Amino acid sequence: MAREFDLIVLGAGSGGLTVAQRAARYGARVGLLDPGPPGGTCVNLGCVPKKALWFAAQLAQAQALAGDYGFELTPGRLDWDRFRGLRDRYIEGIRERYAQRLGEVDVAWIGAAGRLVARDTVLAGDMQYRAPQVVIATGARPRRLPLPGFELGMVSDDVFSLSALPRSIGIVGGGYVAVEFACLLRALGCEVELLIRKQLLDGFDGELVQALAAQMRAQGIRITAESNVTGARGEPGALLLDDARGAAHGPYHSVLWAVGRVPNSDELGLGGIGVACDARGFIQVDAHQNTSVPGISAIGDVTACPALTPVAVSAGYALVERLLGGQPESQFDYRAIPTVVFAEPPLGKIGLTEREARARHGDAVRVYTKQFVPLQFAVAGHRVPTVMKLVCTGDDERVLGMHVLGPGVDEMLQGFALAMRQGLTRRELRSAVAIHPTSSEEMLLMH
């Protein structure tokens, strides 16, 4: 006999937790299935441990800057074991708080992977669970390639279990995961080579990406373009990467494969019940997160929507409001989503790149750019610039895109994203009162 619920959620990442808790607060009987700890990739193997490592990298660089300011100190290396302990205790605290919150709203936690055997029935082990509404929020995982020696390297999940900082590393990939790890590992003292097959940070503004690449090289990161890696060989501590042109790169102490992510959709039984996926395995959804099967919805990285934690959370919130909150037209607005690559320096964007804007609006697009050295660095005689770009359209110069490369961008862009969702124009930017002296004020003064 199946256990009955009003709603079943597959996946306890940020999106799944949002759906489960919000639905339970509306009085729904909710079953939440996941074989791993609550929090999913973001908390356990993604955003949170990555950002902690990024903060450590920032502190390493701050030591050098402090010396340039005149402080008497000798920059020291990170105590890796102490850092790991602090990070892991923090993450364990998040898990405990999630478990507590689920208990407070009576969400049934089922620590197992679920598989759909009917549109309203989930099988987990030898138990069946049934509900008229199922939400799939199983996320994604690092992509693995059928290349010789692939197993000699790591994927992003493995970085957080390292017992020591690698002396040198070859990173294969040009996306945000590759760039972030390249920058933070370099800041902590690792020798880094980044091997890119096509281009760096596809989807970000090309001009700012080029500026980031120049700053990465200035920090000592080797960037090898047009490198089609065909395999790895050697022994741990002395690894080589071969490419299609016959070149061998390395040797490296470690190798990191950062070659994309694949959706966790292949073990869900979707084909047997008619849930449509695209050629890459992402579940296809409409604007309301509906799949091709009534009663089954999907949110987050298991779909082809932007793979960002706040997107999954917001989409989940809107979905529950539609299903249970009396708002039948509720849906998440995917326009003007802010995102940041935690590189060194960080690169952020909201909305359209210049290329995307010109493809849609042609000659109506106007672009404003600015470069300046932030006061924090200029005082110490550093000349590394922050780069900003504003993409506008029409007679009122409505803002379509904001792009910033420089320190503080991760905290700077949130308010601008809210304004852009309300139809922000360049005139409104110019009329705002700036906080001085800050980098963000330069966004108001672009011409």
Side-chain angles (χ1 to χ4, degrees):
M1 180 179 295
R3 184 177 177 183
E4 300 288 337
F5 293 101
D6 299 313
L7 176 71
I8 291 174
V9 182
L10 300 179
S14 301
L17 287 166
T18 298
V19 170
Q21 293 175 91
R22 187 71 180 169
R25 290 192 179 98
Y26 275 121
R29 297 170 300 158
V30 180
L32 177 59
L33 286 82
D34 197 308
T41 295
C42 180
V43 167
N44 299 290
L45 294 168
C47 316
V48 173
K50 182 275 305 288
K51 190 68 180 290
L53 196 55
W54 185 77
F55 280 133
Q58 294 291 292
L59 291 171
Q61 294 179 319
Q63 294 180 85
L65 181 61
D68 291 339
Y69 261 70
F71 284 91
E72 294 183 4
L73 56 81
T74 301
R77 296 180 66 84
L78 176 66
D79 183 333
W80 192 263
D81 286 339
R82 176 174 170 79
F83 167 74
R84 286 184 62 194
L86 293 169
R87 179 200 66 197
D88 294 348
R89 282 195 294 274
Y90 178 74
I91 291 172
E92 185 56 38
I94 297 176
R95 294 170 181 163
E96 291 172 356
R97 290 191 291 274
Y98 277 142
Q100 179 181 350
R101 292 170 189 167
L102 292 172
E104 289 171 352
V105 293
D106 294 325
V107 171
W109 172 264
I110 302 164
R115 183 175 184 274
L116 285 155
V117 293
R119 57 186 288 180
D120 63 350
T121 305
V122 172
L123 180 66
D126 56 358
M127 293 291 296
Q128 283 195 350
Y129 305 92
R130 184 173 292 120
Q133 182 69 45
V134 176
V135 178
I136 302 172
T138 48
R141 63 187 184 273
R143 184 182 178 207
R144 297 177 183 271
L145 301 176
L147 297 179
F150 188 90
E151 71 283 354
L152 295 173
M154 304 179 289
V155 294
S156 59
D157 290 0
D158 302 319
V159 175
F160 304 114
S161 60
L162 284 172
S163 59
L165 179 74
R167 293 189 300 274
S168 63
I169 192 166
I171 301 178
V172 182
Y176 72 94
V177 173
V179 170
E180 288 180 340
F181 278 119
C183 290
L184 65 86
L185 290 174
R186 177 60 189 147
L188 291 172
C190 182
E191 294 295 324
V192 178
E193 182 171 11
L194 186 62
L195 297 101
I196 305 167
R197 183 174 184 178
K198 293 183 179 178
Q199 64 186 78
L200 197 67
L201 293 176
D202 185 27
F204 283 78
D205 188 87
E207 184 177 352
L208 273 71
V209 169
Q210 290 180 10
L212 172 60
Q215 295 193 31
M216 291 170 66
R217 290 188 175 99
Q219 295 163 33
I221 297 172
R222 300 189 305 277
I223 301 177
T224 302
E226 298 181 0
S227 179
N228 182 10
V229 175
T230 56
R233 57 188 169 90
E235 300 293 333
L239 297 173
L240 297 172
L241 291 171
D242 296 317
D243 70 25
R245 294 176 294 185
H249 304 272
Y252 313 107
H253 183 267
S254 300
V255 164
L256 172 62
W257 305 97
V259 289
R261 296 179 66 82
V262 295
N264 292 321
S265 61
D266 46 337
E267 301 294 331
L268 298 178
L270 302 181
I273 59 172
V275 175
C277 298
D278 67 17
R280 298 175 296 168
F282 291 102
I283 298 175
Q284 295 180 327
V285 293
D286 64 14
H288 291 91
Q289 310 300 144
N290 295 313
T291 71
S292 56
V293 175
I296 300 178
S297 306
I299 61 170
D301 295 6
V302 76
T303 73
C305 300
L308 299 166
T309 292
V311 169
V313 169
S314 297
Y317 187 96
L319 175 61
V320 175
E321 294 305 298
R322 179 173 68 81
L323 295 175
L324 299 169
Q327 301 181 38
E329 298 305 315
S330 175
Q331 66 184 75
F332 175 60
D333 182 356
Y334 284 88
R335 296 174 301 163
I337 296 172
T339 185
V340 171
V341 177
F342 288 97
E344 177 47 47
L347 170 63
K349 74 167 186 174
I350 314 169
L352 302 181
T353 65
E354 179 181 350
R355 176 181 292 182
E356 291 168 339
R358 293 194 185 282
R360 297 187 190 186
H361 300 279
D363 293 338
V365 171
R366 294 176 185 157
V367 175
Y368 302 90
T369 59
K370 191 163 195 175
Q371 291 193 24
F372 60 95
V373 177
L375 177 62
Q376 175 188 13
F377 296 137
V379 168
H382 296 193
R383 307 308 302 169
V384 179
T386 283
V387 185
M388 293 180 168
K389 176 178 283 191
L390 195 64
V391 182
C392 306
T393 189
D395 294 336
D396 62 350
E397 293 193 304
R398 179 169 55 89
V399 179
L400 299 176
M402 280 187 168
H403 308 271
V404 184
L405 172 71
V409 62
D410 49 316
E411 301 291 350
M412 183 191 307
L413 288 183
Q414 188 67 74
F416 288 116
L418 176 61
M420 282 179 61
R421 281 179 171 259
Q422 305 304 313
L424 177 68
T425 65
R426 181 166 170 265
R427 175 176 294 180
E428 289 169 332
L429 281 175
R430 299 279 294 178
S431 67
V433 178
I435 300 170
H436 178 79
T438 63
S439 291
S440 59
E441 71 176 310
E442 301 294 340
M443 186 64 83
L444 309 181
L445 306 175
M446 295 180 69
H447 55 77

